[in-house]
């Protein structure tokens, strides 16, 4: 019985995954046409969302539409533990937040799993300016 349940869950997750892949492409089209994003930004957003999708599909057998706040937080902790910079993590958070905002605004999903996610603080370096004497 368990094997049948696991097989059905995998099949449904694969179907949801295929549907979500279409939604990812629609999201990228939206960013391109409505938000006029640059090509490099579009590629980064798509890469970030698909990376998250792959991780939750492999680890929990979930589609993007099934992700909860717990999966998002676990993903962000993984990025931090992998040594990713705060700037990289912030971009990935922004990508996921924009994607889930897009899905909720179109009523594709009911709850946005990124709602209470805060971006990590980026440490600002002090800028040292040259004095007039140092320039001469």
């Amino acid at each position: 019985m368990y094997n049948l349940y696991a097989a059905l869950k995998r099949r449904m997750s694969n179907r949801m995954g295929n549907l979500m892949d279409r939604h990812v492409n629609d999201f990228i089209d939206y960013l391109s046409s409505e938000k006029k994003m640059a090509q490099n930004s579009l590629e980064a957003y798509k890469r970030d969302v698909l990376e998250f999708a792959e991780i939750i599909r492999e680890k929990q057998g979930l589609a993007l539409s099934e992700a909860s706040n717990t999966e998002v937080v676990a993903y962000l902790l993984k990025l931090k533990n992998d040594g990713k910079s705060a700037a990289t993590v912030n971009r990935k958070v922004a990508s996921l937040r924009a994607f889930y905002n897009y899905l909720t605004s179109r009523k594709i999903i009911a709850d946005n799993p990124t709602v209470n996610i805060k971006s990590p603080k980026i440490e600002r370096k002090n800028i040292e300016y040259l004095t007039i004497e140092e320039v001469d």
Side-chain angles (χ1 to χ4, degrees):
M1 184 70 174
Y2 175 76
N3 289 336
L4 177 61
Y5 174 74
L8 286 172
K9 185 175 180 184
R10 272 195 309 277
R11 178 187 277 170
M12 288 302 296
S13 185
N14 286 339
R15 284 185 185 161
M16 290 300 294
N18 292 338
L19 183 60
M20 279 293 115
D21 288 344
R22 190 184 86 222
H23 290 309
V24 171
N25 289 330
D26 291 345
F27 168 63
I28 297 303
D29 290 343
Y30 162 79
L31 292 177
S32 176
S33 62
E34 300 290 323
K35 299 293 184 178
K36 308 292 186 212
M37 277 192 163
Q39 188 62 36
N40 285 345
S41 296
L42 295 172
E43 290 170 8
Y45 270 58
K46 186 171 186 176
R47 186 174 51 248
D48 294 342
V49 172
L50 292 178
E51 177 184 289
F52 176 67
E54 185 62 28
I55 287 172
I56 64 169
R57 193 177 294 150
E58 284 178 4
K59 294 193 181 232
Q60 285 99 6
L62 299 174
L64 283 167
S65 61
E66 301 169 310
S68 70
N69 183 272
T70 303
E71 283 79 35
V72 176
V73 170
Y75 172 65
L76 298 177
L77 287 173
K78 178 192 179 318
L79 293 173
K80 183 179 178 187
N81 291 337
D82 288 349
K84 300 296 183 195
S85 71
T88 297
V89 174
N90 280 343
R91 192 200 69 232
K92 291 178 184 289
V93 168
S95 298
L96 292 176
R97 189 176 286 130
F99 177 67
Y100 282 110
N101 283 337
Y102 171 82
L103 293 180
T104 54
S105 72
R106 283 167 176 61
K107 310 257 188 279
I108 296 166
I109 61 171
D111 297 315
N112 183 338
T114 65
V115 166
N116 295 318
I117 303 289
K118 295 203 181 337
S119 298
K121 299 287 184 212
I122 296 177
E123 187 176 313
R124 303 280 182 203
K125 295 180 182 174
N126 288 335
I127 299 173
E128 295 184 26
Y129 297 98
L130 295 176
T131 64
I132 293 174
E133 294 80 29
E134 291 173 320
V135 173
D136 291 336

